[in-house]
Amino acid sequence: DQQVKQNSPSLSVQEGRISILNCDYTNSMFDYFLWYKKYPAEGPTFLISISSIKDKNEDGRFTVFLNKSAKHLSLHIVPSQPGDSAVYFCAASAKNNNDMRFGAGTRLTVKP
Amino acid sequence: NAGVTQTPKFRVLKTGQSMTLLCAQDMNHEYMYWYRQDPGMGLRLIHYSVGEGTTAKGEVPDGYNVSRLKKQNFLLGLESAAPSQTSVYFCASSYWASATYNEQFFGPGTRLTVL
């Protein structure tokens, strides 16, 4: 069963506009959430994270929002840049659990 | 620092053949992981290790074995490869896996095809 879901396989936005990537989860034990970015032929790289005790975490152009009641998180990229074009994975883990679960990924394309 | 490296980058096997994928990290991380990535499935954890000499099963461990004889190395073995094991394999490492911090550093991946 897929406990972390990214229902949009792809997203295309214009340079300078906002990109919003969504992620839903089903396991209420998850308490830490991460976003990873992946370029072709490379491994994923950590982008930003959020603990369940927060509802927002911001790092430069990247902001992650967490809605625990809806079991939903989103990644906002503002403004979007062509270099942001990549596959973005949402991931979640539970306290004292080494089994991190990943979503299937969303391919973001930022057009110049 | 090289970070996390994986050997080989590509491999083609015939059904029933065996092979070992090598992962090495130079960040003195305690935790190491093996994932597989399949289309539409994201990354799924195969096995992991919380320290030298220890290993544990992840979400999809069947058909794989692992060993962590040295802290910096984590080996993934396929004893009898099957076409269902065609995938991209990623190794990762982290300082620890705690309630509040579990950033994992990934290698570049190994693309394995089993015919």
Side-chain angles (χ1 to χ4, degrees), chain A residues 2 32 34 36 38 41-44 46 89 95 98-104, chain B residues 31 35 37 40-43 45 48 59 90 97 99-100 102-104 106-108:
Chain A
Q2 214 159 0
Y32 199 68
L34 306 91
Y36 282 84
K38 184 183 180 305
E42 295 182 9
F46 170 75
F89 291 99
K95 185 178 291 189
N98 298 297
D99 191 353
M100 184 178 294
R101 296 297 176 107
F102 285 79
Chain B
Y31 288 69
Y35 292 90
Q37 184 194 7
M41 297 292 291
L43 284 81
L45 183 65
Y48 64 95
E59 183 184 0
F90 289 101
T100 57
N102 192 18
E103 177 189 344
Q104 296 181 13
F106 284 83

PDB file of all heavy atoms in Angstrom, chain A residues 2 32 34 36 38 41-44 46 89 95 98-104, chain B residues 31 35 37 40-43 45 48 59 90 97 99-100 102-104 106-108:
ATOM      1  N   GLN A   2       0.454   2.221  -0.787  1.00  0.00           N
ATOM      2  CA  GLN A   2       1.283   3.407  -0.891  1.00  0.00           C
ATOM      3  C   GLN A   2       0.831   4.397   0.167  1.00  0.00           C
ATOM      4  O   GLN A   2      -0.273   4.970   0.064  1.00  0.00           O
ATOM      5  CB  GLN A   2       1.165   4.004  -2.293  1.00  0.00           C
ATOM      6  CG  GLN A   2       2.427   4.631  -2.776  1.00  0.00           C
ATOM      7  CD  GLN A   2       2.505   4.760  -4.283  1.00  0.00           C
ATOM      8  OE1 GLN A   2       1.602   4.372  -5.009  1.00  0.00           O
ATOM      9  NE2 GLN A   2       3.582   5.339  -4.764  1.00  0.00           N
ATOM     10  N   TYR A  32       7.407  13.327  10.449  1.00  0.00           N
ATOM     11  CA  TYR A  32       8.471  14.116   9.843  1.00  0.00           C
ATOM     12  C   TYR A  32       8.377  13.945   8.341  1.00  0.00           C
ATOM     13  O   TYR A  32       8.253  12.804   7.860  1.00  0.00           O
ATOM     14  CB  TYR A  32       9.836  13.665  10.360  1.00  0.00           C
ATOM     15  CG  TYR A  32      10.903  14.701  10.147  1.00  0.00           C
ATOM     16  CD1 TYR A  32      10.880  15.902  10.848  1.00  0.00           C
ATOM     17  CD2 TYR A  32      11.943  14.480   9.256  1.00  0.00           C
ATOM     18  CE1 TYR A  32      11.843  16.860  10.661  1.00  0.00           C
ATOM     19  CE2 TYR A  32      12.916  15.437   9.064  1.00  0.00           C
ATOM     20  CZ  TYR A  32      12.867  16.620   9.766  1.00  0.00           C
ATOM     21  OH  TYR A  32      13.827  17.572   9.579  1.00  0.00           O
ATOM     22  N   LEU A  34       9.678  15.237   4.344  1.00  0.00           N
ATOM     23  CA  LEU A  34      10.802  15.794   3.602  1.00  0.00           C
ATOM     24  C   LEU A  34      10.443  15.887   2.119  1.00  0.00           C
ATOM     25  O   LEU A  34       9.628  15.113   1.614  1.00  0.00           O
ATOM     26  CB  LEU A  34      12.054  14.907   3.750  1.00  0.00           C
ATOM     27  CG  LEU A  34      12.518  14.564   5.160  1.00  0.00           C
ATOM     28  CD1 LEU A  34      11.881  13.273   5.648  1.00  0.00           C
ATOM     29  CD2 LEU A  34      14.031  14.426   5.199  1.00  0.00           C
ATOM     30  N   TYR A  36      12.508  15.872  -1.572  1.00  0.00           N
ATOM     31  CA  TYR A  36      13.763  15.643  -2.261  1.00  0.00           C
ATOM     32  C   TYR A  36      13.580  16.044  -3.713  1.00  0.00           C
ATOM     33  O   TYR A  36      12.505  15.906  -4.295  1.00  0.00           O
ATOM     34  CB  TYR A  36      14.167  14.161  -2.195  1.00  0.00           C
ATOM     35  CG  TYR A  36      14.756  13.731  -0.885  1.00  0.00           C
ATOM     36  CD1 TYR A  36      13.944  13.363   0.182  1.00  0.00           C
ATOM     37  CD2 TYR A  36      16.130  13.678  -0.700  1.00  0.00           C
ATOM     38  CE1 TYR A  36      14.483  12.958   1.395  1.00  0.00           C
ATOM     39  CE2 TYR A  36      16.680  13.272   0.506  1.00  0.00           C
ATOM     40  CZ  TYR A  36      15.849  12.913   1.542  1.00  0.00           C
ATOM     41  OH  TYR A  36      16.400  12.515   2.731  1.00  0.00           O
ATOM     42  N   LYS A  38      15.242  15.575  -7.644  1.00  0.00           N
ATOM     43  CA  LYS A  38      16.080  14.638  -8.395  1.00  0.00           C
ATOM     44  C   LYS A  38      16.207  15.070  -9.842  1.00  0.00           C
ATOM     45  O   LYS A  38      15.210  15.226 -10.554  1.00  0.00           O
ATOM     46  CB  LYS A  38      15.492  13.226  -8.325  1.00  0.00           C
ATOM     47  CG  LYS A  38      16.379  12.185  -9.012  1.00  0.00           C
ATOM     48  CD  LYS A  38      15.747  10.835  -9.000  1.00  0.00           C
ATOM     49  CE  LYS A  38      16.651   9.816  -9.681  1.00  0.00           C
ATOM     50  NZ  LYS A  38      17.039  10.204 -11.059  1.00  0.00           N
ATOM     51  N   ALA A  41      19.727  11.036 -14.002  1.00  0.00           N
ATOM     52  CA  ALA A  41      21.023  10.369 -13.838  1.00  0.00           C
ATOM     53  C   ALA A  41      21.743  10.765 -12.542  1.00  0.00           C
ATOM     54  O   ALA A  41      22.958  10.569 -12.421  1.00  0.00           O
ATOM     55  CB  ALA A  41      21.930  10.600 -15.032  1.00  0.00           C
ATOM     56  N   GLU A  42      21.006  11.352 -11.600  1.00  0.00           N
ATOM     57  CA  GLU A  42      21.587  11.678 -10.306  1.00  0.00           C
ATOM     58  C   GLU A  42      20.711  11.100  -9.203  1.00  0.00           C
ATOM     59  O   GLU A  42      19.542  10.777  -9.421  1.00  0.00           O
ATOM     60  CB  GLU A  42      21.707  13.186 -10.120  1.00  0.00           C
ATOM     61  CG  GLU A  42      22.674  13.851 -11.077  1.00  0.00           C
ATOM     62  CD  GLU A  42      22.792  15.346 -10.814  1.00  0.00           C
ATOM     63  OE1 GLU A  42      22.258  15.807  -9.783  1.00  0.00           O
ATOM     64  OE2 GLU A  42      23.408  16.040 -11.640  1.00  0.00           O
ATOM     65  N   GLY A  43      21.274  11.001  -8.010  1.00  0.00           N
ATOM     66  CA  GLY A  43      20.464  10.596  -6.880  1.00  0.00           C
ATOM     67  C   GLY A  43      19.652  11.761  -6.349  1.00  0.00           C
ATOM     68  O   GLY A  43      19.952  12.919  -6.619  1.00  0.00           O
ATOM     69  N   PRO A  44      18.586  11.468  -5.592  1.00  0.00           N
ATOM     70  CA  PRO A  44      17.799  12.548  -4.975  1.00  0.00           C
ATOM     71  C   PRO A  44      18.660  13.362  -4.015  1.00  0.00           C
ATOM     72  O   PRO A  44      19.572  12.835  -3.377  1.00  0.00           O
ATOM     73  CB  PRO A  44      16.708  11.794  -4.213  1.00  0.00           C
ATOM     74  CG  PRO A  44      16.642  10.436  -4.839  1.00  0.00           C
ATOM     75  CD  PRO A  44      18.035  10.142  -5.279  1.00  0.00           C
ATOM     76  N   PHE A  46      18.314  16.280  -0.813  1.00  0.00           N
ATOM     77  CA  PHE A  46      17.390  16.853   0.165  1.00  0.00           C
ATOM     78  C   PHE A  46      17.115  18.316  -0.158  1.00  0.00           C
ATOM     79  O   PHE A  46      18.027  19.080  -0.480  1.00  0.00           O
ATOM     80  CB  PHE A  46      17.993  16.714   1.560  1.00  0.00           C
ATOM     81  CG  PHE A  46      17.253  17.468   2.624  1.00  0.00           C
ATOM     82  CD1 PHE A  46      16.050  16.986   3.105  1.00  0.00           C
ATOM     83  CD2 PHE A  46      17.754  18.649   3.124  1.00  0.00           C
ATOM     84  CE1 PHE A  46      15.360  17.664   4.092  1.00  0.00           C
ATOM     85  CE2 PHE A  46      17.075  19.341   4.105  1.00  0.00           C
ATOM     86  CZ  PHE A  46      15.876  18.857   4.591  1.00  0.00           C
ATOM     87  N   PHE A  89      10.258  14.454  -4.983  1.00  0.00           N
ATOM     88  CA  PHE A  89       9.699  13.374  -4.188  1.00  0.00           C
ATOM     89  C   PHE A  89       9.325  13.888  -2.807  1.00  0.00           C
ATOM     90  O   PHE A  89      10.113  14.568  -2.148  1.00  0.00           O
ATOM     91  CB  PHE A  89      10.708  12.237  -4.020  1.00  0.00           C
ATOM     92  CG  PHE A  89      10.997  11.475  -5.276  1.00  0.00           C
ATOM     93  CD1 PHE A  89      12.129  11.731  -6.026  1.00  0.00           C
ATOM     94  CD2 PHE A  89      10.125  10.479  -5.705  1.00  0.00           C
ATOM     95  CE1 PHE A  89      12.395  11.022  -7.195  1.00  0.00           C
ATOM     96  CE2 PHE A  89      10.386   9.760  -6.861  1.00  0.00           C
ATOM     97  CZ  PHE A  89      11.521  10.032  -7.599  1.00  0.00           C
ATOM     98  N   LYS A  95       8.317   8.468  14.072  1.00  0.00           N
ATOM     99  CA  LYS A  95       9.290   8.538  15.162  1.00  0.00           C
ATOM    100  C   LYS A  95       9.918   7.179  15.404  1.00  0.00           C
ATOM    101  O   LYS A  95       9.241   6.165  15.447  1.00  0.00           O
ATOM    102  CB  LYS A  95       8.608   9.038  16.424  1.00  0.00           C
ATOM    103  CG  LYS A  95       9.544   9.258  17.598  1.00  0.00           C
ATOM    104  CD  LYS A  95       8.781   9.814  18.794  1.00  0.00           C
ATOM    105  CE  LYS A  95       8.324  11.221  18.537  1.00  0.00           C
ATOM    106  NZ  LYS A  95       7.763  11.837  19.787  1.00  0.00           N
ATOM    107  N   ASN A  98      13.041   3.616  10.930  1.00  0.00           N
ATOM    108  CA  ASN A  98      13.993   3.857   9.860  1.00  0.00           C
ATOM    109  C   ASN A  98      13.393   3.721   8.467  1.00  0.00           C
ATOM    110  O   ASN A  98      14.078   3.934   7.483  1.00  0.00           O
ATOM    111  CB  ASN A  98      15.151   2.866   9.989  1.00  0.00           C
ATOM    112  CG  ASN A  98      15.884   3.049  11.297  1.00  0.00           C
ATOM    113  OD1 ASN A  98      16.462   4.089  11.543  1.00  0.00           O
ATOM    114  ND2 ASN A  98      15.859   2.035  12.140  1.00  0.00           N
ATOM    115  N   ASP A  99      12.143   3.325   8.399  1.00  0.00           N
ATOM    116  CA  ASP A  99      11.503   3.062   7.106  1.00  0.00           C
ATOM    117  C   ASP A  99      10.843   4.325   6.582  1.00  0.00           C
ATOM    118  O   ASP A  99       9.691   4.606   6.886  1.00  0.00           O
ATOM    119  CB  ASP A  99      10.465   1.943   7.282  1.00  0.00           C
ATOM    120  CG  ASP A  99       9.948   1.439   5.954  1.00  0.00           C
ATOM    121  OD1 ASP A  99      10.296   2.035   4.917  1.00  0.00           O
ATOM    122  OD2 ASP A  99       9.198   0.455   5.958  1.00  0.00           O
ATOM    123  N   MET A 100      11.581   5.089   5.797  1.00  0.00           N
ATOM    124  CA  MET A 100      11.039   6.292   5.195  1.00  0.00           C
ATOM    125  C   MET A 100      10.248   5.895   3.962  1.00  0.00           C
ATOM    126  O   MET A 100      10.717   5.104   3.153  1.00  0.00           O
ATOM    127  CB  MET A 100      12.159   7.265   4.815  1.00  0.00           C
ATOM    128  CG  MET A 100      11.666   8.588   4.279  1.00  0.00           C
ATOM    129  SD  MET A 100      12.998   9.730   3.906  1.00  0.00           S
ATOM    130  CE  MET A 100      13.628  10.039   5.532  1.00  0.00           C
ATOM    131  N   ARG A 101       9.055   6.473   3.813  1.00  0.00           N
ATOM    132  CA  ARG A 101       8.216   6.160   2.663  1.00  0.00           C
ATOM    133  C   ARG A 101       8.210   7.348   1.708  1.00  0.00           C
ATOM    134  O   ARG A 101       8.059   8.498   2.126  1.00  0.00           O
ATOM    135  CB  ARG A 101       6.785   5.848   3.121  1.00  0.00           C
ATOM    136  CG  ARG A 101       6.700   4.607   3.995  1.00  0.00           C
ATOM    137  CD  ARG A 101       7.128   3.366   3.248  1.00  0.00           C
ATOM    138  NE  ARG A 101       7.153   2.198   4.092  1.00  0.00           N
ATOM    139  CZ  ARG A 101       6.253   1.213   4.028  1.00  0.00           C
ATOM    140  NH1 ARG A 101       5.257   1.280   3.170  1.00  0.00           N
ATOM    141  NH2 ARG A 101       6.366   0.175   4.829  1.00  0.00           N
ATOM    142  N   PHE A 102       8.351   7.013   0.430  1.00  0.00           N
ATOM    143  CA  PHE A 102       8.402   8.033  -0.610  1.00  0.00           C
ATOM    144  C   PHE A 102       7.162   7.988  -1.482  1.00  0.00           C
ATOM    145  O   PHE A 102       6.590   6.917  -1.723  1.00  0.00           O
ATOM    146  CB  PHE A 102       9.622   7.809  -1.505  1.00  0.00           C
ATOM    147  CG  PHE A 102      10.928   8.198  -0.886  1.00  0.00           C
ATOM    148  CD1 PHE A 102      11.559   7.365   0.029  1.00  0.00           C
ATOM    149  CD2 PHE A 102      11.545   9.393  -1.226  1.00  0.00           C
ATOM    150  CE1 PHE A 102      12.777   7.723   0.597  1.00  0.00           C
ATOM    151  CE2 PHE A 102      12.752   9.755  -0.679  1.00  0.00           C
ATOM    152  CZ  PHE A 102      13.370   8.919   0.237  1.00  0.00           C
ATOM    153  N   GLY A 103       6.783   9.157  -1.986  1.00  0.00           N
ATOM    154  CA  GLY A 103       5.772   9.222  -3.026  1.00  0.00           C
ATOM    155  C   GLY A 103       6.391   8.875  -4.370  1.00  0.00           C
ATOM    156  O   GLY A 103       7.604   8.698  -4.486  1.00  0.00           O
ATOM    157  N   ALA A 104       5.543   8.785  -5.386  1.00  0.00           N
ATOM    158  CA  ALA A 104       5.999   8.379  -6.716  1.00  0.00           C
ATOM    159  C   ALA A 104       6.711   9.503  -7.457  1.00  0.00           C
ATOM    160  O   ALA A 104       7.351   9.249  -8.484  1.00  0.00           O
ATOM    161  CB  ALA A 104       4.818   7.870  -7.536  1.00  0.00           C
TER     162      ALA A 104
ATOM    163  N   TYR B  31      24.136   5.316   9.550  1.00  0.00           N
ATOM    164  CA  TYR B  31      23.039   4.632   8.891  1.00  0.00           C
ATOM    165  C   TYR B  31      23.263   4.582   7.388  1.00  0.00           C
ATOM    166  O   TYR B  31      23.664   5.564   6.770  1.00  0.00           O
ATOM    167  CB  TYR B  31      21.720   5.355   9.168  1.00  0.00           C
ATOM    168  CG  TYR B  31      21.209   5.190  10.576  1.00  0.00           C
ATOM    169  CD1 TYR B  31      21.859   5.773  11.648  1.00  0.00           C
ATOM    170  CD2 TYR B  31      20.071   4.440  10.823  1.00  0.00           C
ATOM    171  CE1 TYR B  31      21.387   5.608  12.939  1.00  0.00           C
ATOM    172  CE2 TYR B  31      19.581   4.277  12.106  1.00  0.00           C
ATOM    173  CZ  TYR B  31      20.249   4.867  13.166  1.00  0.00           C
ATOM    174  OH  TYR B  31      19.782   4.704  14.432  1.00  0.00           O
ATOM    175  N   TYR B  35      17.675   1.413  -1.657  1.00  0.00           N
ATOM    176  CA  TYR B  35      16.343   1.610  -2.215  1.00  0.00           C
ATOM    177  C   TYR B  35      16.323   1.108  -3.658  1.00  0.00           C
ATOM    178  O   TYR B  35      17.338   1.068  -4.325  1.00  0.00           O
ATOM    179  CB  TYR B  35      15.969   3.092  -2.258  1.00  0.00           C
ATOM    180  CG  TYR B  35      15.762   3.754  -0.927  1.00  0.00           C
ATOM    181  CD1 TYR B  35      16.818   4.359  -0.252  1.00  0.00           C
ATOM    182  CD2 TYR B  35      14.495   3.828  -0.360  1.00  0.00           C
ATOM    183  CE1 TYR B  35      16.618   5.003   0.960  1.00  0.00           C
ATOM    184  CE2 TYR B  35      14.280   4.472   0.853  1.00  0.00           C
ATOM    185  CZ  TYR B  35      15.353   5.049   1.501  1.00  0.00           C
ATOM    186  OH  TYR B  35      15.142   5.694   2.691  1.00  0.00           O
ATOM    187  N   GLN B  37      14.039   2.102  -7.241  1.00  0.00           N
ATOM    188  CA  GLN B  37      13.065   3.026  -7.805  1.00  0.00           C
ATOM    189  C   GLN B  37      12.484   2.432  -9.073  1.00  0.00           C
ATOM    190  O   GLN B  37      13.228   2.092 -10.000  1.00  0.00           O
ATOM    191  CB  GLN B  37      13.698   4.384  -8.139  1.00  0.00           C
ATOM    192  CG  GLN B  37      12.675   5.389  -8.641  1.00  0.00           C
ATOM    193  CD  GLN B  37      13.283   6.613  -9.282  1.00  0.00           C
ATOM    194  OE1 GLN B  37      14.487   6.703  -9.482  1.00  0.00           O
ATOM    195  NE2 GLN B  37      12.444   7.585  -9.604  1.00  0.00           N
ATOM    196  N   GLY B  40       6.440   5.014 -11.365  1.00  0.00           N
ATOM    197  CA  GLY B  40       5.159   5.128 -10.677  1.00  0.00           C
ATOM    198  C   GLY B  40       5.151   4.637  -9.243  1.00  0.00           C
ATOM    199  O   GLY B  40       4.098   4.596  -8.618  1.00  0.00           O
ATOM    200  N   MET B  41       6.336   4.247  -8.724  1.00  0.00           N
ATOM    201  CA  MET B  41       6.373   3.660  -7.373  1.00  0.00           C
ATOM    202  C   MET B  41       7.198   4.466  -6.394  1.00  0.00           C
ATOM    203  O   MET B  41       7.218   4.170  -5.221  1.00  0.00           O
ATOM    204  CB  MET B  41       6.960   2.241  -7.433  1.00  0.00           C
ATOM    205  CG  MET B  41       6.153   1.275  -8.247  1.00  0.00           C
ATOM    206  SD  MET B  41       4.578   0.917  -7.494  1.00  0.00           S
ATOM    207  CE  MET B  41       5.082  -0.005  -6.050  1.00  0.00           C
ATOM    208  N   GLY B  42       7.891   5.466  -6.843  1.00  0.00           N
ATOM    209  CA  GLY B  42       8.768   6.172  -5.931  1.00  0.00           C
ATOM    210  C   GLY B  42       9.940   5.294  -5.520  1.00  0.00           C
ATOM    211  O   GLY B  42      10.291   4.335  -6.207  1.00  0.00           O
ATOM    212  N   LEU B  43      10.548   5.612  -4.405  1.00  0.00           N
ATOM    213  CA  LEU B  43      11.660   4.823  -3.878  1.00  0.00           C
ATOM    214  C   LEU B  43      11.133   3.918  -2.774  1.00  0.00           C
ATOM    215  O   LEU B  43      10.395   4.354  -1.899  1.00  0.00           O
ATOM    216  CB  LEU B  43      12.760   5.726  -3.306  1.00  0.00           C
ATOM    217  CG  LEU B  43      13.675   6.429  -4.295  1.00  0.00           C
ATOM    218  CD1 LEU B  43      13.014   7.677  -4.849  1.00  0.00           C
ATOM    219  CD2 LEU B  43      15.000   6.775  -3.634  1.00  0.00           C
ATOM    220  N   LEU B  45      12.303   1.080   0.212  1.00  0.00           N
ATOM    221  CA  LEU B  45      13.439   0.636   0.997  1.00  0.00           C
ATOM    222  C   LEU B  45      13.566  -0.886   0.943  1.00  0.00           C
ATOM    223  O   LEU B  45      12.623  -1.613   1.246  1.00  0.00           O
ATOM    224  CB  LEU B  45      13.274   1.102   2.448  1.00  0.00           C
ATOM    225  CG  LEU B  45      14.406   0.783   3.405  1.00  0.00           C
ATOM    226  CD1 LEU B  45      15.675   1.518   2.989  1.00  0.00           C
ATOM    227  CD2 LEU B  45      14.011   1.177   4.829  1.00  0.00           C
ATOM    228  N   TYR B  48      18.349  -1.885   5.286  1.00  0.00           N
ATOM    229  CA  TYR B  48      19.104  -0.785   5.839  1.00  0.00           C
ATOM    230  C   TYR B  48      20.021  -1.291   6.945  1.00  0.00           C
ATOM    231  O   TYR B  48      19.920  -2.459   7.372  1.00  0.00           O
ATOM    232  CB  TYR B  48      18.183   0.331   6.355  1.00  0.00           C
ATOM    233  CG  TYR B  48      17.294  -0.058   7.510  1.00  0.00           C
ATOM    234  CD1 TYR B  48      17.683   0.189   8.829  1.00  0.00           C
ATOM    235  CD2 TYR B  48      16.068  -0.667   7.280  1.00  0.00           C
ATOM    236  CE1 TYR B  48      16.863  -0.163   9.880  1.00  0.00           C
ATOM    237  CE2 TYR B  48      15.251  -1.028   8.332  1.00  0.00           C
ATOM    238  CZ  TYR B  48      15.638  -0.763   9.626  1.00  0.00           C
ATOM    239  OH  TYR B  48      14.825  -1.121  10.674  1.00  0.00           O
ATOM    240  N   GLU B  59      11.021  -2.384   3.307  1.00  0.00           N
ATOM    241  CA  GLU B  59       9.686  -2.634   2.760  1.00  0.00           C
ATOM    242  C   GLU B  59       9.663  -3.794   1.770  1.00  0.00           C
ATOM    243  O   GLU B  59       8.695  -4.569   1.716  1.00  0.00           O
ATOM    244  CB  GLU B  59       9.177  -1.351   2.094  1.00  0.00           C
ATOM    245  CG  GLU B  59       7.775  -1.417   1.542  1.00  0.00           C
ATOM    246  CD  GLU B  59       7.374  -0.140   0.809  1.00  0.00           C
ATOM    247  OE1 GLU B  59       8.190   0.802   0.734  1.00  0.00           O
ATOM    248  OE2 GLU B  59       6.243  -0.096   0.291  1.00  0.00           O
ATOM    249  N   PHE B  90      19.307   2.790  -5.540  1.00  0.00           N
ATOM    250  CA  PHE B  90      19.969   3.907  -4.890  1.00  0.00           C
ATOM    251  C   PHE B  90      20.418   3.507  -3.499  1.00  0.00           C
ATOM    252  O   PHE B  90      19.676   2.884  -2.735  1.00  0.00           O
ATOM    253  CB  PHE B  90      19.025   5.108  -4.782  1.00  0.00           C
ATOM    254  CG  PHE B  90      18.745   5.785  -6.089  1.00  0.00           C
ATOM    255  CD1 PHE B  90      17.565   5.542  -6.766  1.00  0.00           C
ATOM    256  CD2 PHE B  90      19.674   6.667  -6.635  1.00  0.00           C
ATOM    257  CE1 PHE B  90      17.303   6.159  -7.976  1.00  0.00           C
ATOM    258  CE2 PHE B  90      19.424   7.298  -7.851  1.00  0.00           C
ATOM    259  CZ  PHE B  90      18.233   7.033  -8.511  1.00  0.00           C
ATOM    260  N   ALA B  97      18.929   8.129  12.368  1.00  0.00           N
ATOM    261  CA  ALA B  97      17.506   8.205  12.038  1.00  0.00           C
ATOM    262  C   ALA B  97      16.786   8.513  13.340  1.00  0.00           C
ATOM    263  O   ALA B  97      16.578   7.645  14.162  1.00  0.00           O
ATOM    264  CB  ALA B  97      17.007   6.892  11.456  1.00  0.00           C
ATOM    265  N   ALA B  99      13.795  11.094  15.567  1.00  0.00           N
ATOM    266  CA  ALA B  99      12.439  11.603  15.407  1.00  0.00           C
ATOM    267  C   ALA B  99      12.405  12.926  14.674  1.00  0.00           C
ATOM    268  O   ALA B  99      11.409  13.296  14.093  1.00  0.00           O
ATOM    269  CB  ALA B  99      11.799  11.764  16.780  1.00  0.00           C
ATOM    270  N   THR B 100      13.533  13.638  14.703  1.00  0.00           N
ATOM    271  CA  THR B 100      13.464  14.992  14.178  1.00  0.00           C
ATOM    272  C   THR B 100      14.376  15.250  12.992  1.00  0.00           C
ATOM    273  O   THR B 100      14.277  16.281  12.365  1.00  0.00           O
ATOM    274  CB  THR B 100      13.838  16.007  15.269  1.00  0.00           C
ATOM    275  OG1 THR B 100      15.139  15.690  15.758  1.00  0.00           O
ATOM    276  CG2 THR B 100      12.837  15.954  16.413  1.00  0.00           C
ATOM    277  N   ASN B 102      16.252  13.262   9.679  1.00  0.00           N
ATOM    278  CA  ASN B 102      16.618  12.058   8.948  1.00  0.00           C
ATOM    279  C   ASN B 102      16.945  12.371   7.512  1.00  0.00           C
ATOM    280  O   ASN B 102      16.511  11.689   6.602  1.00  0.00           O
ATOM    281  CB  ASN B 102      15.479  11.032   8.997  1.00  0.00           C
ATOM    282  CG  ASN B 102      15.923   9.673   8.509  1.00  0.00           C
ATOM    283  OD1 ASN B 102      17.104   9.384   8.445  1.00  0.00           O
ATOM    284  ND2 ASN B 102      14.984   8.837   8.136  1.00  0.00           N
ATOM    285  N   GLU B 103      17.740  13.442   7.308  1.00  0.00           N
ATOM    286  CA  GLU B 103      18.149  13.751   5.944  1.00  0.00           C
ATOM    287  C   GLU B 103      19.069  12.655   5.457  1.00  0.00           C
ATOM    288  O   GLU B 103      20.069  12.327   6.098  1.00  0.00           O
ATOM    289  CB  GLU B 103      18.878  15.086   5.880  1.00  0.00           C
ATOM    290  CG  GLU B 103      19.380  15.414   4.487  1.00  0.00           C
ATOM    291  CD  GLU B 103      20.281  16.631   4.453  1.00  0.00           C
ATOM    292  OE1 GLU B 103      20.281  17.385   5.439  1.00  0.00           O
ATOM    293  OE2 GLU B 103      20.982  16.809   3.439  1.00  0.00           O
ATOM    294  N   GLN B 104      18.739  12.077   4.353  1.00  0.00           N
ATOM    295  CA  GLN B 104      19.556  11.037   3.753  1.00  0.00           C
ATOM    296  C   GLN B 104      20.285  11.594   2.539  1.00  0.00           C
ATOM    297  O   GLN B 104      19.731  12.370   1.767  1.00  0.00           O
ATOM    298  CB  GLN B 104      18.688   9.848   3.363  1.00  0.00           C
ATOM    299  CG  GLN B 104      18.039   9.176   4.564  1.00  0.00           C
ATOM    300  CD  GLN B 104      17.201   7.983   4.191  1.00  0.00           C
ATOM    301  OE1 GLN B 104      17.263   7.485   3.070  1.00  0.00           O
ATOM    302  NE2 GLN B 104      16.409   7.504   5.130  1.00  0.00           N
ATOM    303  N   PHE B 106      22.081  10.631  -0.945  1.00  0.00           N
ATOM    304  CA  PHE B 106      21.951   9.556  -1.919  1.00  0.00           C
ATOM    305  C   PHE B 106      23.135   9.472  -2.875  1.00  0.00           C
ATOM    306  O   PHE B 106      23.758  10.488  -3.219  1.00  0.00           O
ATOM    307  CB  PHE B 106      20.682   9.740  -2.755  1.00  0.00           C
ATOM    308  CG  PHE B 106      19.426   9.375  -2.026  1.00  0.00           C
ATOM    309  CD1 PHE B 106      18.817  10.281  -1.167  1.00  0.00           C
ATOM    310  CD2 PHE B 106      18.860   8.117  -2.191  1.00  0.00           C
ATOM    311  CE1 PHE B 106      17.654   9.935  -0.487  1.00  0.00           C
ATOM    312  CE2 PHE B 106      17.701   7.767  -1.523  1.00  0.00           C
ATOM    313  CZ  PHE B 106      17.100   8.676  -0.669  1.00  0.00           C
ATOM    314  N   GLY B 107      23.415   8.254  -3.318  1.00  0.00           N
ATOM    315  CA  GLY B 107      24.360   8.040  -4.392  1.00  0.00           C
ATOM    316  C   GLY B 107      23.693   8.282  -5.738  1.00  0.00           C
ATOM    317  O   GLY B 107      22.495   8.529  -5.809  1.00  0.00           O
ATOM    318  N   PRO B 108      24.451   8.161  -6.830  1.00  0.00           N
ATOM    319  CA  PRO B 108      23.929   8.471  -8.167  1.00  0.00           C
ATOM    320  C   PRO B 108      23.070   7.375  -8.768  1.00  0.00           C
ATOM    321  O   PRO B 108      22.414   7.590  -9.786  1.00  0.00           O
ATOM    322  CB  PRO B 108      25.196   8.676  -8.998  1.00  0.00           C
ATOM    323  CG  PRO B 108      26.219   7.845  -8.311  1.00  0.00           C
ATOM    324  CD  PRO B 108      25.891   7.893  -6.852  1.00  0.00           C
TER     325      PRO B 108
END
